[in-house]
Amino acid sequence: MNGHWQTINYKQGNLIMTSTDQSFEHLLSSVREFIRTECIPYEKEVDLADEIPERIVQGMRDLGLFGHSIPREFGGAGLTSEQLSLVNMEVSQAATTFRARFGGNTGIASESLIVDGTPDQKKKYLPKLASGELTGCFALTEPNAGSDATAQKTTAIKEGNEYILNGTKCFITNAPVADLFTVFARTDQTIKGAAGVTAFLIERGTSGLSTSQRYQMMGQRGSPVGEVILENCRVSENAIVGGRPGLGFRTAMKALNKQRINLAGLCIGPAIRLVKEMVDYARTREQFGQAIGEFQLVQQMIAESNLEVYAARALLLETARKRDSGQDVTMEASMCKLLASEMCGRVADRAVQIFGGAGYIAGNVAEQFYRDVRLFRLYEGTSQIHLVNIAKRTMAMMNEVKSA
Ligand SMILES: Cc1cc2nc3c(=O)[nH]c(=O)nc-3n(C[C@H](O)[C@H](O)[C@H](O)COP(=O)(O)OP(=O)(O)OC[C@H]3O[C@@H](n4cnc5c(N)ncnc54)[C@H](O)[C@@H]3O)c2cc1C
């Protein structure tokens, strides 16, 4: 992309302007500027090197990106779900690997602590996660516990005041660079399913915890993803999130619920960017003596893409506001994640189509984003799992209406 890139500033939702919102507007414009000047110009370089330069990571720390969702009392920005959604739609207009570097800290890797941590655990870890001094990760998935995350095989056996953990976690974002691991393990071997699972906070350097090399991935290159290996890893019972065993799966679901709203924002940002890229290209590329943007079949792809972005954005902001007002948005969070991730895949596909052969060649923005956004339909609940969830909740809702 050329140096004239501007991130697209969709008009803000209907945030009521208070002094807090004015400072939020300032935060949002600083983020926009950082993405425009420090990330977008380097996205091809990062894709090739499979590494984000430390200078950029430090810039993320300086800007407070690691702590947006963490409460202010622990050094974060304490953003609401709506504000976080607006930020997510900005940060993900650059290749999403950038956001993945700090996204754990301001999402899934801190959320378990925020919702269920003890006061001591929060005090010890949240300020360092907010500043980016520590990188966190969320280690739930195992080789045989993917969509069925309740099938946890990692064990945590109690011995005195300690637990000994054994097992392997796979596909863990930031595991190769993480300092703090939220690890889910089965503490009660007599119970199958969610009930016997406990969440532990384990620091790198703890004997028995190691991480693999990063995987070579289809996209989001620069985002280190790997395994967490636990071999007789001994931790104090104080490492249990919230201090009580057996509640880990409930904690994981609370964190994932919020994360699904975050993720919807992260799917909408790339789609916004791609609409801009499509339009720019369609205006300048000429065939049959005219700009391809003059052809109505090309216009259809642009129109359908912008329409879908708008719809996903509206659903996201509505859901985020509902969550902020204290309503249960479990089903809506699934809807947001499903709609936005599927939409983003379709927009990326259309972007490749509009770029023609150039869109298939390495180094083209559509080619890179097409690979990057494929992940969205797989993690934090595959599309099929969200469809199943939505169906289940819709049917339960209808039953309630019938019996009322
Ligand atoms: C790059 C990357 C980063 C990740 N980061 C993390 C992380 O930080 N932490 C973490 O814990 N995990 C992480 N994951 C794991 C991710 O959440 C899982 O890959 C995902 O939950 C799917 O599990 P699976 O890969 O085992 O697929 P499976 O569960 O084996 O699914 C395979 C296929 O079967 C379908 N399927 C399964 N069950 C059903 C059903 N009931 N009905 C219909 N279809 C079904 C699925 O939709 C899918 O199409 C990451 C994965 C990747 C690739």
Side-chain angles (χ1 to χ4, degrees), residues 138 140-141 146-147 171-173 217 375 378-380 382 384:
F138 178 91
L140 178 67
T141 303
S147 297
F171 306 145
I172 307 304
T173 302
M217 300 197 295
L375 177 58
L378 297 171
Y379 70 178
E380 288 165 32
T382 64
Q384 289 70 32

Side-chain angles (χ1 to χ4, degrees), residues 57-123:
V57 178
Q58 188 53 46
M60 294 170 178
R61 292 191 188 101
D62 296 343
L63 201 56
L65 293 179
F66 283 85
H68 278 162
S69 69
I70 295 175
R72 281 168 188 251
E73 59 178 308
F74 299 110
L79 298 187
T80 63
S81 295
E82 182 181 9
Q83 289 171 329
L84 205 53
S85 299
L86 291 166
V87 170
N88 284 334
M89 289 189 280
E90 290 293 336
V91 294
S92 57
Q93 289 184 40
T96 47
T97 187
F98 291 105
R99 198 271 173 187
R101 182 62 187 83
F102 58 84
N105 282 35
T106 193
I108 204 156
S110 63
E111 196 57 27
S112 303
L113 254 171
I114 294 170
V115 291
D116 280 339
T118 64
D120 283 350
Q121 288 169 341
K122 291 183 187 187
K123 211 164 104 194

Side-chain angles (χ1 to χ4, degrees), residues 34-70:
F34 180 78
I35 292 300
R36 188 178 70 83
T37 58
E38 299 300 325
C39 298
I40 288 173
Y42 302 100
E43 50 192 20
K44 283 180 198 153
E45 183 185 317
V46 166
D47 185 51
L48 274 177
D50 199 7
E51 183 97 54
I52 302 175
E54 181 53 30
R55 168 184 60 77
I56 297 181
V57 178
Q58 188 53 46
M60 294 170 178
R61 292 191 188 101
D62 296 343
L63 201 56
L65 293 179
F66 283 85
H68 278 162
S69 69
I70 295 175

